[in-house]
Amino acid sequence: MAVDSKHPLYVDNLDRWKLVNDVCDGSQSIKNMGVQYLPVVNACATNEENLAYNDSYRQRAVFFEVTKDTLQSHVGLAFSEDPTFKPDGLDFLKKNADGNGKSIYQLNQLALEGLLRQGRGGLFVDFPFVTGSMSQAEIERLNIRPSIVYYPSLNIINWDKRKAGGVYKNSLIVLHEVAEKRDEQDEFQFKKFNRYRVLRLEENNVYSIQVYSDESGSIVADEKVFPKKKGGAFFDEIPFIPLGSQVNDFSIDSIPLESLALMNLAHYRNSAEYENSVFICGQIQPVISGLSEEWRDHLEKSGIKLGSFSPLTLPEGGSFQFAQAESNMVAREAMKDKFDYMQALGAKVLDKTTANKTATQVNEEAATQHSVLSLCVSNLNEASEYYLKWCAEFEGRGFDAKFSIKQDFARGEIGLDELKFYYELVVSGDLSKQTFHEIRTTGKVPEIDREKEQARIDSEGGIS
């Protein structure tokens, strides 16, 4: 099989991922796809007139960017408060985590967007190849450091795993990239080519990386590279963590925005019918009746002007009125119903539901109440433990680094009785006025340890 071969699950789900991607990209993306998302009117007619009619039909349709707006608002909600990052020596991740200028915060925003769009993705830790020993000064001068790269589901084309000892490990991952280089014949043009990054766990449980590309016109493989840790040992696992909307593995999880995207397209088709009827029947039509042939010919010859400054004279028995079609209530009602349903689907991503926890979330309960968005954020937090560990193993420092996106991002609701309870704690000296103010304004009880809270109480000196 060739390096560009696709995993069967990738092939089975590719159309779903592309559909949600197109809808999330917005109106222009959908309209550029033409008849793929808006069926042809009178498909049996292939003449130029019908083609021109369908082009106008599509341009008049209004695509409401509900899915796109929902995606952006949910990502914004999750990052409304800054994530917590303790670098422990990996400070370069704050400003340039991927080697291309994206911070660790921006990488996680991209990853969360990918989980909402497609229910999966992946984060890969790439290491520069170093030969021989180098001093710390040389390493810093040459910016030799690991980089964390995000790959959306469409770029993770193949994968496999095998049992190593008592556990299963990822043994093969193929990542597709589209690279570009400046045209040698024209410095103002770029040539694009395909590149395939193959990550392997060799039979001796040593991690290797090999890059294939079709830059020369046919696919050619570079030499294998075996990255090493700070002390010189080889990595015994592939430094790639798959992301999922439910579980962080290569299974195909549900796509959080898929139902909303499908309804968005259905609404678009109703809009096309409605806007088409408005175009055809929306303008008023003057109607004159009771005319003889002589009067008809007279008006046609002299012309007709409409308006209060141009009185229209008619013979006895003649009448003039305007006719206007009633609005297309069927298409309009269908649009309204779908729009209301889309709003409910968008909110559903935030609704709490019962789902199994991932391994690091398991405690004394078997299940937890959380939203789809919260679970995606939780999985990103879990993934951070892996990619920070791999960065630390290469750097030889940063083993206590932590990155965490806050999951309690929904505004809480505090009733009057609860407020009274917390105020009584303030009066009794068991709660600070500052913490009470935070509870009253946010509706949530802040996460604060007892020592810090006692310091707040002591600094305020009692109720006043």
Side-chain angles (χ1 to χ4, degrees):
M1 295 178 68
V3 69
D4 58 351
S5 299
K6 312 294 192 301
H7 193 283
L9 289 177
Y10 179 95
V11 176
D12 291 344
N13 290 275
L14 182 59
D15 289 342
R16 295 174 61 205
W17 295 330
K18 284 184 174 180
L19 183 147
V20 180
N21 249 8
D22 290 338
V23 174
C24 287
D25 285 343
S27 177
Q28 195 58 53
S29 173
I30 293 298
K31 292 198 173 186
N32 286 343
M33 300 304 292
V35 299
Q36 179 171 338
Y37 296 125
L38 189 62
V40 175
V41 178
N42 193 11
C44 296
T46 58
N47 56 69
E48 291 186 5
E49 182 180 355
N50 190 55
L51 293 176
Y53 172 81
N54 275 280
D55 184 61
S56 298
Y57 175 75
R58 183 172 60 255
Q59 292 303 319
R60 283 192 295 269
V62 179
F63 181 80
F64 286 48
E65 296 183 334
V66 177
T67 308
K68 180 180 179 179
D69 292 343
T70 300
L71 171 65
Q72 293 174 344
S73 67
H74 286 355
V75 173
L77 180 61
F79 285 84
S80 59
E81 294 184 53
D82 290 339
T84 300
F85 180 41
K86 299 178 180 178
D88 189 37
L90 302 179
D91 298 82
F92 64 90
L93 296 177
K94 288 181 179 179
K95 295 183 178 179
N96 191 2
D98 70 342
N100 203 29
K102 293 185 182 67
S103 68
I104 190 172
Y105 307 99
Q106 293 166 330
L107 278 177
N108 277 273
Q109 288 171 6
L110 282 175
L112 178 57
E113 182 176 323
L115 287 179
L116 294 174
R117 280 176 179 249
Q118 297 159 352
R120 73 195 300 262
L123 288 163
F124 167 57
V125 179
D126 194 16
F127 308 110
F129 182 63
V130 180
T131 57
S133 60
M134 300 179 69
S135 66
Q136 188 61 38
E138 288 179 302
I139 290 174
E140 293 179 2
R141 180 176 61 84
L142 297 174
N143 286 321
I144 296 175
R145 56 183 52 163
S147 55
I148 307 168
V149 187
Y150 168 69
Y151 285 85
S153 63
L154 293 175
N155 295 82
I156 308 168
I157 65 173
N158 209 346
W159 57 89
D160 198 6
K161 62 181 179 180
R162 72 162 185 268
K163 196 168 186 178
V167 298
Y168 281 92
K169 289 187 176 182
N170 295 321
S171 59
L172 174 72
I173 301 172
V174 182
L175 307 172
H176 174 236
E177 304 167 356
V178 177
E180 61 180 26
K181 70 171 184 176
R182 195 172 293 278
D183 193 331
E184 296 176 357
Q185 306 300 321
D186 185 349
E187 64 175 319
F188 302 108
Q189 297 293 326
F190 288 90
K191 286 184 177 180
K192 292 185 177 182
F193 58 95
N194 293 301
R195 189 160 58 197
Y196 301 90
R197 196 172 299 274
V198 182
L199 317 178
R200 296 186 180 93
L201 190 65
E202 305 288 345
E203 289 299 326
N204 58 352
N205 285 334
V206 171
Y207 161 61
S208 73
I209 179 170
Q210 188 174 26
V211 177
Y212 296 68
S213 79
D214 62 4
E215 182 180 355
S216 63
S218 58
I219 298 179
V220 179
D222 293 342
E223 292 290 329
K224 282 185 181 181
V225 175
F226 298 85
K228 294 182 180 180
K229 301 178 183 180
K230 179 68 173 180
F234 292 108
F235 284 86
D236 61 356
E237 59 185 337
I238 297 176
F240 181 98
I241 177 69
L243 305 171
S245 62
Q246 296 173 317
V247 181
N248 285 342
D249 59 19
F250 280 107
S251 60
I252 306 300
D253 290 348
S254 61
I255 303 174
L257 293 180
E258 184 175 30
S259 297
L260 179 58
L262 292 171
M263 189 57 56
N264 212 160
L265 288 174
H267 183 273
Y268 173 54
R269 293 167 187 137
N270 288 154
S271 169
E273 288 297 314
Y274 177 74
E275 296 297 335
N276 193 50
S277 68
V278 170
F279 174 76
I280 295 173
C281 305
Q283 299 184 40
I284 58 174
Q285 176 69 47
V287 178
I288 305 175
S289 59
L291 301 181
S292 63
E293 291 185 7
E294 181 180 357
W295 265 95
R296 181 200 64 192
D297 296 341
H298 165 69
L299 291 177
E300 287 181 349
K301 183 178 180 180
S302 59
I304 300 175
K305 294 182 179 180
L306 301 178
S308 58
F309 293 103
S310 301
L312 180 62
T313 57
L314 296 175
E316 185 178 353
S319 67
F320 172 87
Q321 58 184 352
F322 287 107
Q324 186 173 20
E326 295 183 4
S327 60
N328 185 344
M329 296 305 295
V330 175
R332 188 176 180 84
E333 285 298 315
M335 287 175 63
K336 184 180 182 304
D337 290 344
K338 289 181 176 64
F339 188 80
D340 291 343
Y341 188 48
M342 282 193 291
Q343 288 184 309
L345 287 173
K348 192 175 181 180
V349 180
L350 297 173
D351 286 345
K352 290 184 178 180
T353 182
T354 301
N356 292 329
K357 295 181 179 179
T358 54
T360 59
Q361 297 169 303
V362 174
N363 53 23
E364 64 276 4
E365 298 175 340
T368 183
Q369 289 285 328
H370 52 254
S371 68
V372 174
L373 179 59
S374 176
L375 182 55
C376 289
V377 168
S378 177
N379 289 346
L380 283 178
N381 288 338
E382 183 183 75
S384 71
E385 298 179 16
Y386 290 88
Y387 62 70
L388 289 175
K389 180 196 75 169
W390 293 321
C391 287
E393 287 176 339
F394 183 84
E395 285 279 300
R397 59 182 175 178
F399 291 96
D400 290 326
K402 300 289 182 184
F403 181 86
S404 178
I405 308 167
K406 296 182 180 180
Q407 294 174 237
D408 189 17
F409 36 70
R411 183 179 176 87
E413 295 182 1
I414 295 290
L416 183 59
D417 290 339
E418 291 173 286
L419 278 178
K420 289 180 179 178
F421 168 76
Y422 289 117
Y423 185 73
E424 288 172 1
L425 291 179
V426 174
V427 174
S428 64
D430 294 316
L431 187 71
S432 67
K433 289 178 285 184
Q434 181 181 345
T435 300
F436 177 74
H437 175 73
E438 292 177 11
I439 295 173
R440 183 173 58 84
T441 55
T442 67
K444 298 185 294 184
V445 179
E447 296 180 6
I448 180 171
D449 59 50
R450 181 61 197 169
E451 290 183 1
K452 187 175 181 180
E453 178 62 21
Q454 187 61 52
R456 285 185 176 185
I457 295 171
D458 295 342
S459 66
E460 293 173 353
I463 209 70
S464 59

